[in-house]
Amino acid sequence: MPIKISKETADEQIRQKVKEISGEDFQKCYQCGTCSGSCPMADQITVLPRRVMALLQLGRKEALEEANTHWVCASCHMCVVRCPRGIDIAKVMESLRQLTLRKNEDIINPSEISKEDTAKLPQVAMVSGFRKLTS
Amino acid sequence: MKISYYPGCTLKTKAKNLESSALACLDALGVEYEELPRWNCCGAVYSLSDDDLIHLIAPVRDLIRVQEQGFDTVLTLCSMCYNTLARANELMKNDEVKRGTINDFMDEEPDYKGEIKVVHFLDFIRDEIGWDKLKANVKNPLNGMKLAPYYGCTLLRPGDVSIDKSNSPVVFEECMEALGAEIVKFPKAIECCGSYQVLGNPEAALKVSNDIITEATAFGAEAMALTCPLCDYNLGHRQEEMLKKYEGTKALPMFYFTQLMAVALGVDPENYNLDLNQAVSQEFLKGKNLLEKVST
Amino acid sequence: MTEVKAVEIKAKLIPIYIMGKKYEVPETLTIMKAIEYAGYQYIRGCGCRGGVCGACSTVYRKPGSYKIMSGLACQTVVEPEMYLTQIPFYPAIRSTYTFEKLTGKPEEVFDLYHELFRCVACNACSKVCPMDVEVMDYIAALKRGDIKAAAEISFDCIQCGLCASRCMGELPQYHIAQLARRINGRYLTPQAEHLKTMVANIEAGRYQESLTGLKVMDINMLKETYTAREMEPATGGEDWIPKENIGL
């Protein structure tokens, strides 16, 4: 599906914010798709990482917000070690998460984890999960 | 040589089997260690936000404790702890501005400049003990065990803290080979088990874990060696769910690599803490006559 | 004999700032008394006035330092240019549980307080604690499942809530510590054998007779009995044993 690009469709603020929080220059991405090919969550995400990078370059805020990519990303860094442009895509994903988390919005509610799950979960799951998915 | 040992929270409860077996191996190999007398949770994941320093405080504090303890090297067992401590250490070593801010913030602690060396049990054995010496200490080789070592993510990525080549590591295979296992190499050995997504997207995590197990089985593995308590949860403790959900998945025994090392080194089976493993894992070791041999 | 003269001792007045407003107060007063001296009346935020109830936690700053200081208003003496406010209450939810149903496993604490795992070890809690409890350390101990250590480290806690007010991870530390101490007392420390014997004795009616006797006694006799009761002398020493060894 063709998309219309204009000054109106490009949100400069999200581009700036992501650059600030991640410290990464997604502009360097030349769309080779190695990240998408390396992503273990590829069949679980609505937008592949290559496309996320393209959406960022175009400042497509709404499309980025609709994507579940950064919420399914497990920060495994496979894309990072393979990116021929040396972009830390995991940091870009983190910044997309932070855009929501920093508004004091949570993705999971720690108090809602069942007693049964708590009895089984290793502490490392809760520490890392809360870090990544709560504000 | 004597080194500082950082356990990590899970090793004191759910992953006691990782700690007890590893420490027994150190004893068997004549390595002296001392657990940090005062430590806090490292935070499990390294903060990936460039403007976020507060989440670095926890790991840096632990590194300061190592310094206070009087050691220059800290040994980790949990892959997540290794990664978090090692990355925080790299930052403190290399980023002067952030180092300054962090040291200023922790005005109740002495300054830290990244002098401590953070090692993981695997690279420690490789670099300080060596495979030859490890082999020489094997009393009960894992002969005939078709073993798939699974690295997971945090020992290998990102590159600056990787204990081996990020994309083509050999350290884990070499270690298990020295113990007498028949190595099953499989591509997903360096892929992600789903990690913390067990909380956010449990089904997605289950799927990738299932993919790892089915691939290892397809490559001929009859057991898998792990380094991380979170991998053990996703790959081991959630196997029951996988077997129910996915047709064709076969149960695969899971062990912490240190448990297998402890078996091979012939240390007291009490230290394996096998009761914390899945039943299928316990049965497997029994079936291999590896438990009997040691205890007699 | 020296002559005693009534001398009017005037304490020096020093300036302090209460909730941003300047007051001149005698330098010898505690913060609590200074607040009252300045004209405020305590309705809440004041309890035992003896440093144990934890109702009057106060935060303050002093000129020339960025540091947040803390103390109990009833125990801390005012200092010149102190900039203070009292935090009589800070919201922190205490999870509900049936204590008898717990067994002392760490996972039970995790289940009641999942937010434990949001601690980032920033140490703001320990720094603000007026009782010098190493709050961060007991949270660290709990995260690794060491309830006993947490109970011991948090022993001096008076539940004032300042830790919770400063927490980045939004933890109610003092409630979690209280749970740890309860579990430690009930499940993790050895139970005294003689206590069980004593309870059994009481249930078997050991004190029934003397209790009934007291119940029917007239008031004068009751007073007399009370005054004549046997007490451990100040110089008793460890080997002192009561004549009527009814308690043992």
Side-chain angles (χ1 to χ4, degrees):
Chain A
M1 197 183 73
I3 52 165
K4 224 180 178 177
I5 308 166
S6 72
K7 242 188 169 175
E8 281 67 48
T9 63
D11 186 307
E12 188 51 29
Q13 209 191 349
I14 194 169
R15 289 164 41 83
Q16 272 312 318
K17 270 275 167 205
V18 166
K19 269 184 198 167
E20 261 169 46
I21 299 175
S22 69
E24 291 298 308
D25 183 6
F26 48 76
Q27 217 58 49
K28 286 194 298 189
C29 169
Y30 56 27
Q31 295 286 298
C32 71
T34 304
C35 47
S36 300
S38 303
C39 182
M41 295 293 196
D43 58 354
Q44 321 257 354
I45 50 182
T46 51
V47 180
L48 290 169
R50 175 197 64 80
R51 201 170 154 77
V52 169
M53 302 303 275
L55 291 172
L56 270 170
Q57 291 175 343
L58 298 173
R60 305 272 300 176
K61 185 168 182 252
E62 271 172 35
L64 286 163
E65 282 170 351
E66 277 165 22
N68 73 351
T69 311
H70 49 288
W71 297 120
V72 181
C73 165
S75 307
C76 81
H77 284 69
M78 195 63 105
C79 53
V80 180
V81 294
R82 290 183 180 170
C83 176
R85 298 293 282 154
I87 303 169
D88 195 325
I89 302 158
K91 284 192 167 173
V92 175
M93 293 297 162
E94 176 80 6
S95 65
L96 290 169
R97 285 188 288 271
Q98 290 300 327
L99 290 180
T100 300
L101 297 176
R102 289 184 184 186
K103 289 185 203 141
N104 206 13
E105 286 173 32
D106 292 338
I107 302 306
I108 57 166
N109 181 352
S111 313
E112 280 173 4
I113 299 175
S114 73
K115 207 185 200 93
E116 293 70 36
D117 282 345
T118 309
K120 289 185 286 184
L121 281 168
Q123 290 101 309
V124 63
M126 288 187 274
V127 175
S128 54
F130 297 173
R131 275 282 170 93
K132 292 289 185 181
L133 305 168
T134 66
S135 60
Chain B
M1 123 169 248
K2 197 172 175 184
I3 53 166
S4 171
Y5 161 57
Y6 176 86
C9 300
T10 314
L11 276 76
K12 296 294 179 188
T13 56
K14 297 279 183 308
K16 240 182 216 166
N17 43 355
L18 174 53
E19 176 177 64
S20 59
S21 57
L23 297 184
C25 290
L26 290 181
D27 290 338
L29 294 167
V31 178
E32 279 189 277
Y33 57 88
E34 188 182 304
E35 181 177 327
L36 266 178
R38 188 182 173 202
W39 56 272
N40 50 264
C41 163
C42 66
V45 281
Y46 180 79
S47 172
L48 298 174
S49 301
D50 201 49
D51 58 353
D52 166 33
L53 297 184
I54 194 69
H55 291 98
L56 285 159
I57 299 300
V60 171
R61 213 183 278 287
D62 284 318
L63 295 166
I64 292 172
R65 299 276 179 265
V66 178
Q67 196 167 263
E68 284 174 341
Q69 195 190 11
F71 291 103
D72 55 10
T73 306
V74 62
L75 176 78
T76 56
L77 283 169
C78 164
S79 306
M80 303 280 273
C81 297
Y82 166 74
N83 190 277
T84 309
L85 291 173
R87 292 195 77 177
N89 200 40
E90 286 302 305
L91 180 117
M92 291 304 276
K93 221 188 294 181
N94 303 319
D95 192 324
E96 206 180 319
V97 177
K98 286 182 179 164
R99 174 171 70 219
T101 312
I102 289 168
N103 279 329
D104 284 350
F105 177 79
M106 286 198 277
D107 54 8
E108 74 278 24
E109 307 278 6
D111 280 0
Y112 181 69
K113 293 202 219 67
E115 295 96 332
I116 303 294
K117 193 177 166 200
V118 181
V119 297
H120 182 260
F121 195 90
L122 261 180
D123 60 326
F124 176 77
I125 299 285
R126 176 192 63 200
D127 301 338
E128 301 298 331
I129 309 285
W131 305 137
D132 289 342
K133 188 177 166 192
L134 180 65
K135 219 178 217 168
N137 277 279
V138 171
K139 296 191 178 113
N140 187 25
L142 308 174
N143 285 346
M145 184 190 294
K146 291 192 181 104
L147 185 67
Y150 171 74
Y151 288 88
C153 311
T154 52
L155 290 182
L156 299 174
R157 296 184 292 273
D160 56 352
V161 295
S162 179
I163 61 166
D164 202 349
K165 289 194 191 88
S166 283
N167 279 315
S168 51
V170 291
V171 54
F172 204 175
E173 286 83 359
E174 285 176 355
C175 179
M176 293 294 116
E177 204 162 33
L179 303 176
E182 189 182 313
I183 301 302
V184 177
K185 274 195 99 118
F186 67 113
K188 285 191 190 295
I190 60 170
E191 280 194 16
C192 180
C193 69
S195 186
Y196 56 81
Q197 287 298 0
V198 64
L199 292 187
N201 297 283
E203 290 311 311
L206 195 70
K207 164 85 169 45
V208 288
S209 280
N210 183 67
D211 289 349
I212 290 165
I213 287 176
T214 41
E215 192 189 81
T217 313
F219 275 69
E222 50 181 11
M224 189 174 275
L226 305 170
T227 66
C228 169
L230 193 44
C231 299
D232 182 46
Y233 185 70
N234 283 331
L235 294 166
H237 293 259
R238 292 192 77 197
Q239 259 187 45
E240 240 171 79
E241 281 176 71
M242 282 177 221
L243 297 179
K244 265 184 218 154
K245 185 168 176 182
Y246 298 103
E247 225 176 289
T249 302
K250 282 188 207 123
L252 188 64
M254 297 280 154
F255 301 98
Y256 286 119
F257 73 110
T258 51
Q259 289 182 297
L260 297 173
M261 190 182 285
V263 169
L265 296 180
V267 308
D268 187 346
E270 213 175 76
N271 299 300
Y272 309 162
N273 271 317
L274 273 172
D275 55 315
L276 290 170
N277 294 57
Q278 296 302 92
V280 58
S281 311
Q282 301 169 24
E283 289 307 313
F284 175 77
L285 271 196
K286 264 185 218 156
K288 287 273 165 194
N289 292 327
L290 282 165
L291 292 177
E292 284 81 354
K293 254 206 232 164
V294 179
S295 41
T296 48
Chain C
M1 222 184 175
T2 34
E3 198 185 337
V4 184
K5 263 190 193 169
V7 186
E8 197 186 341
I9 301 167
K10 263 201 166 172
K12 202 176 125 198
L13 292 179
I14 55 165
I16 65 166
Y17 297 84
I18 302 169
M19 287 182 283
K21 190 169 169 6
K22 190 175 181 180
Y23 296 93
E24 297 279 335
V25 301
E27 62 174 357
T28 52
L29 298 186
T30 60
I31 291 172
M32 181 169 279
K33 284 184 178 158
I35 287 176
E36 286 175 326
Y37 181 91
Y40 293 89
Q41 191 190 357
Y42 279 99
I43 296 165
R44 296 291 306 271
C46 168
C48 72
R49 290 181 181 256
V52 287
C53 81
C56 63
S57 54
T58 304
V59 287
Y60 59 94
R61 282 184 152 108
K62 291 193 284 186
S65 168
Y66 63 84
K67 287 257 161 213
I68 293 176
M69 317 281 282
S70 71
L72 297 173
C74 71
Q75 298 296 297
T76 314
V77 177
V78 289
E79 289 175 62
E81 304 288 331
M82 215 178 200
Y83 205 83
L84 64 89
T85 193
Q86 208 182 307
I87 317 255
F89 177 76
Y90 197 87
I93 302 294
R94 181 169 57 196
S95 295
T96 47
Y97 47 87
T98 307
F99 193 57
E100 282 68 29
K101 283 191 183 153
L102 301 181
T103 59
K105 286 198 197 88
E107 288 77 11
E108 292 164 345
V109 180
F110 302 166
D111 180 52
L112 291 166
Y113 294 103
H114 284 100
E115 57 270 44
L116 251 185
F117 299 106
R118 286 174 38 82
C119 167
V120 300
C122 71
N123 204 31
C125 48
S126 303
K127 291 207 285 195
V128 84
C129 178
M131 297 304 285
D132 293 332
V133 171
E134 298 284 6
V135 184
M136 184 186 77
D137 286 28
Y138 77 62
I139 293 296
L142 281 173
K143 280 173 96 171
R144 73 181 80 127
D146 195 342
I147 298 174
K148 191 165 200 59
E152 281 162 9
I153 300 169
S154 70
F155 191 79
D156 288 336
C157 171
I158 52 169
Q159 319 266 114
C160 75
L162 278 184
C163 47
S165 80
R166 296 279 294 142
C167 183
M168 253 207 70
E170 297 157 284
L171 278 70
Q173 294 93 329
Y174 63 106
H175 287 321
I176 316 181
Q178 186 185 51
L179 174 61
R181 290 192 300 277
R182 283 177 174 165
I183 291 176
N184 186 45
R186 169 74 180 254
Y187 298 106
L188 309 176
T189 33
Q191 303 295 315
E193 280 307 310
H194 64 270
L195 185 64
K196 282 183 202 154
T197 323
M198 193 66 193
V199 171
N201 285 345
I202 292 169
E203 279 171 350
R206 168 148 198 184
Y207 295 102
Q208 214 46 54
E209 201 182 318
S210 44
L211 197 62
T212 318
L214 286 173
K215 273 181 179 169
V216 298
M217 210 175 266
D218 81 84
I219 187 83
N220 290 325
M221 187 64 181
L222 202 58
K223 281 179 182 169
E224 219 169 277
T225 313
Y226 180 77
T227 321
R229 78 195 187 281
E230 193 192 4
M231 282 174 73
E232 181 177 349
T235 53
E238 271 181 28
D239 47 359
W240 178 83
I241 297 169
K243 274 186 215 118
E244 200 184 342
N245 199 359
I246 195 164
L248 301 170

